Amino acid sequence: MSLLETLNQDMKDAMRSKDKQKLSVIRMVKASLQNEAIKLGKDTLSEEEELTVLARELKQRKDSLHEFKEAGRDDLADNLAKEIEILQVYMPKQLTEEELEAIVVETIASVGATSKQEMGKVMGALMPKVKGKADGTEVNRLVQKHLS
């Protein structure tokens, strides 16, 4: 089942159960997917493009969550944490730190990088492999750790 079909089914379920927050998040994701399709001039998005949109929405919420916690706005932070939880359901299974580290080490070896100056080359080769399965900040941290 495609992501859009899953979202439509979950949206109906959320309406039936009167789960307003889940319904709101699903509608927002659907709107983001439709906007991306329009922007790209397509009728439907590929799985990778859908994943990119989902990852972007998730990252925006995680960044906002961090800001709200720093500002002491626990009410907004709790709300965002629930939204993140809802969005995580649609993301692929996240890599464990060990799995991610193994991919980082393998990629560094395959591109032949030896210093931090070659970080861009490593990240360019690495990100397509872990897209949607790992947080970019975590990937960046591990690459820096292994290149130093």
Side-chain angles (χ1 to χ4, degrees), residues 97-111:
E97 184 152 352
E98 293 78 27
E99 293 170 328
L100 183 57
E101 195 154 4
I103 294 171
V104 167
V105 169
E106 174 193 318
T107 304
I108 289 172
S110 71
V111 298

Side-chain angles (χ1 to χ4, degrees), residues 29 32-33 36 45 49-58:
V29 170
S32 294
L33 289 168
E36 187 73 11
L45 297 174
E49 291 164 337
E50 290 175 341
L51 192 60
T52 301
V53 172
L54 270 178
R56 182 174 50 227
E57 293 294 331
L58 198 56

